[in-house]
C-alpha cells in the first residue's frame, strides 16, 4: 500500500522559532490501543516554546511540536472499541500536533499524562476545543484538586488573561469563590467579564494593596510575584504554583502549604471541563489563529508571555472551518 504523505512542522535541533520547519512526512498509523486523528487545530503552549528551546521536555530528533489538539478520528487501531471513526474529539497527544495527522493513546492502562482524549464539546469550534488541554485541565487540577478550592473562599489568580488563568477565574467563580485576579491594563475588562470580582492591573498597582488573607493563590508567573504572593496567604492556606517551586522554608515560616501543582490531568478531568463548557459555565478565548505554515509566527507571539487567550494553529482546510461547529460526535 502506498503511504499517504502529510504536512507537519518538525524540529531537528533546539533553537529559536526558526528551527520550526514545514515538511512532508508519512502519515502515522495507529498501533494497538491508539487512534489516528486528523488534526483540525492545535493549541500553542508556552511549554511548546520551552521544549523547542531545549529547556523543558527533552526530545529525540526530529520531533513534531505541540500536544493540545482538536480533530476527527480517522482510524482506530487494534483493540480500540470505545472510539469510532468520524468522532470529533479533543485532547493531548505526545506524538506532536503541529501536523495534519497524529496518533493518540486511548488505552487508559497505558495512558500517560500527555495523552488525553474526550469528545469535542458540542458548543465549541475545533479551534476553541484545541485550547482546553493544558489550559482548562491545568486550571481545574491546580485549583480544585491541588488547591482544594471551596465555595466562599478567597482566591488570588495571577496571569488571569492567559491560557490557564482565564479558565481558572471561570472555574473559581463556578465553585462560588471570591476571585481576585491580576492582569495588565489592556485585559482588565476582559478578566472582569470572566467573573473576577477584584481585578488588579499589575502594571499600575502592587497587588498587596488590593488583596490579603487569601485562602488560595494560583501562581502562573513565578519569581517576585510568587514570593510576594506567599505573604498574602492566610496561615493554614495554600499556594499552588504552575511555574516554579515555592521556597519550602518560607512556606514553613508563614505556616502555609505551598508547592507545585502535582495532579496530572487525565481524560476524566478533560471530560469534566468539557461538561462545564457545554453547560455554559466557562468559555475558551483564542488570542490569535495561524495557519500551519505560520508556526514560527505563532511561537514568536507565544514567547512574548503576554496577551489574552490561547494561540491556535488552524490546520484543517479552510472549508472545514465553516463545518466545525456542526460536525461533533455523539459519544
Ligand atoms: N505546570 C503545569 O502543569 C503547567 C501547565 C500549563 C502552563 N504552565 C505554565 O504556566 C505559565 C502560564 O501558562 P499560560 O498557558 O497561561 O500562559 P499564557 O497563555 O502565555 O499567559 C500568560 C499570561 O500571563 C500574564 N502576565 C505576564 N506577566 C504577568 C505579571 N507580572 N502578573 C500577572 N500576569 C502576568 C499575561 O498577561 P498580560 O498580557 O496581561 O501581561 C498572559 O495573559 C507558563 O509559564 C506555562 O509554561 C504550567
Amino acid at each position: 500500500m502506498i503511504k499517504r504523505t502529510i504536512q507537519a512542522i518538525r524540529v531537528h535541533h533546539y533553537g529559536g522559532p526558526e528551527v520550526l520547519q514545514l515538511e512532508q512526512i508519512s502519515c502515522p498509523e495507529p498501533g494497538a490501543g491508539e487512534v489516528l486523528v486528523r488534526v483540525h487545530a492545535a493549541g500553542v503552549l508556552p511549554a511548546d516554546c520551552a521544549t523547542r528551546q531545549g529547556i523543558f521536555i527533552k526530545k529525540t530528533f526530529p520531533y513534531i511540536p505541540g500536544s493540545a489538539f482538536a480533530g476527527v478520528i480517522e482510524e482506530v487501531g487494534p483493540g480500540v472499541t470505545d472510539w469510532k471513526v468520524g468522532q470529533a474529539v479533543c485532547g493531548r497527544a505526545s506524538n506532536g500536533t503541529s501536523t495534519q495527522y497524529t496518533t493518540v493513546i486511548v488505552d487508559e492502562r497505558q495512558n500517560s499524562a500527555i495523552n488525553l482524549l474526550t469528545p469535542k464539546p458540542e458548543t465549541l469550534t475545533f479551534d476553541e476545543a484545541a485550547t482546553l488541554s493544558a489550559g482548562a485541565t491545568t486550571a481545574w487540577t491546580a485549583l480544585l484538586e491541588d488547591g482544594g478550592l471551596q465555595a466562599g473562599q478567597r482566591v488570588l489568580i495571577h496571569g488571569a488573561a492567559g491560557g490557564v488563568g482565564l479558565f481558572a477565574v471561570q472555574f473559581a467563580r463556578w465553585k462560588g469563590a471570591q476571585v481576585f485576579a491580576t492582569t495588565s491594563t489592556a485585559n482588565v475588562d476582559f478578566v472582569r467579564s470572566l467573573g473576577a470580582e477584584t481585578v488588579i492591573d499589575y502594571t499600575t498597582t502592587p497587588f498587596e494593596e488590593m488583596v490579603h488573607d487569601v485562602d488560595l493563590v494560583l501562581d502562573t508567573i513565578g519569581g517576585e510575584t510568587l514570593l510576594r504572593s506567599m505573604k498574602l496567604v492566610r496561615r493554614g492556606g495554600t499556594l499552588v504554583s504552575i511555574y516554579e517551586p515555592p521556597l519550602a522554608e518560607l512556606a514553613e515560616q508563614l505556616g502555609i502549604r505551598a508547592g507545585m501543582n502535582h495532579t496530572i490531568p487525565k481524560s476524566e478531568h478533560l471530560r469534566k471541563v468539557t461538561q462545564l463548557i457545554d453547560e455554559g459555565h466557562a468559555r475558551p478565548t483564542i488570542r490569535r489563529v495561524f495557519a500551519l505554515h505560520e508556526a514560527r509566527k505563532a511561537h514568536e507571539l507565544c514567547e512574548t508571555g503576554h496577551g489574552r487567550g490561547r494561540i491556535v494553529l488552524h490546520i484543517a482546510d479552510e472549508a472545514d472551518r465553516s463545518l466545525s461547529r456542526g460536525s461533533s460526535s455523539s459519544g
Side-chain angles (χ1 to χ4, degrees):
M1 196 169 88
I2 299 170
K3 275 202 149 194
R4 184 166 32 167
T5 298
I6 62 168
Q7 291 196 321
I9 299 293
R10 291 209 298 182
V11 173
H12 292 262
H13 56 89
Y14 295 127
E18 71 283 354
V19 302
L20 300 167
Q21 305 277 359
L22 182 66
E23 297 179 350
Q24 306 281 334
I25 62 166
S26 295
C27 187
E29 287 172 16
E34 295 180 352
V35 296
L36 176 70
V37 172
R38 180 173 185 223
V39 181
H40 284 233
V44 178
L45 309 172
D48 301 337
C49 299
T51 299
R52 190 205 70 233
Q53 290 163 352
I55 55 175
F56 192 45
I57 299 168
K58 292 297 164 207
K59 287 287 187 183
T60 305
F61 298 109
Y63 79 89
I64 297 170
S67 63
F69 73 91
V72 173
I73 296 179
E74 178 94 355
E75 257 181 77
V76 298
V80 175
T81 52
D82 296 344
W83 298 95
K84 291 185 178 47
V85 170
Q87 261 188 298
V89 289
C90 62
R92 212 162 174 201
S94 54
N95 286 338
T97 54
S98 302
T99 173
Q100 290 181 299
Y101 290 87
T102 193
T103 52
V104 188
I105 300 168
V106 296
D107 181 344
E108 297 271 339
R109 285 161 305 177
Q110 49 162 311
N111 205 345
S112 70
I114 208 100
N115 283 274
L116 310 177
L117 196 69
T118 202
K120 179 178 81 66
E122 303 265 343
T123 51
L124 299 188
T125 64
F126 285 101
D127 289 353
E128 290 170 327
T131 72
L132 302 183
S133 286
T137 50
T138 305
W140 180 268
T141 50
L143 267 189
L144 280 304
E145 307 260 337
D146 301 329
L149 183 66
Q150 300 296 323
Q153 288 191 326
R154 290 156 63 86
V155 58
L156 170 62
I157 296 168
H158 288 301
V164 175
L166 73 92
F167 282 109
V169 171
Q170 295 178 87
F171 295 156
R173 281 296 287 163
W174 166 80
K175 190 71 187 173
Q178 185 183 356
V179 182
F180 300 81
T182 60
T183 192
S184 64
T185 315
N187 298 323
V188 166
D189 289 344
F190 167 68
V191 171
R192 192 167 289 122
S193 78
L194 299 173
E197 279 136 307
T198 306
V199 184
I200 306 160
D201 179 348
Y202 72 86
T203 66
T204 60
T205 312
F207 51 81
E208 296 88 339
E209 288 182 11
M210 306 279 288
V211 58
H212 53 85
D213 290 325
V214 293
D215 298 285
L216 176 64
V217 172
L218 174 62
D219 183 42
T220 65
I221 307 298
E224 196 210 350
T225 299
L226 169 58
L227 201 58
R228 286 162 52 204
S229 298
M230 291 177 76
K231 298 169 187 160
L232 300 179
V233 179
R234 66 158 173 83
R235 271 192 100 72
T238 306
L239 181 145
V240 178
S241 168
I242 66 167
Y243 183 73
E244 63 180 348
L247 289 175
E249 311 78 56
L250 180 59
E252 202 178 326
Q253 269 173 33
L254 295 167
I256 67 171
R257 226 164 46 91
M260 285 293 289
N261 61 322
H262 60 265
T263 302
I264 296 169
K266 293 280 189 192
S267 292
E268 71 197 59
H269 299 117
L270 185 54
R271 279 193 288 277
K272 179 67 194 172
V273 302
T274 59
Q275 183 194 334
L276 287 184
I277 286 167
D278 273 339
E279 289 170 359
H281 298 297
R283 292 289 304 175
T285 297
I286 293 176
R287 188 178 312 173
R288 202 163 146 196
V289 179
F290 293 91
L292 183 62
H293 70 269
E294 297 176 308
R296 290 180 185 177
K297 283 190 197 161
H299 275 229
E300 277 163 15
L301 182 62
C302 186
E303 277 178 3
T304 65
H306 297 284
R308 174 190 311 179
R310 180 70 77 221
I311 297 161
V312 170
L313 295 179
H314 184 83
I315 297 172
D317 301 334
E318 275 304 302
D320 294 325
R321 196 190 290 247
S322 56
L323 296 173
S324 60
R325 277 186 192 273
S327 56
S328 56
S329 75
S330 56

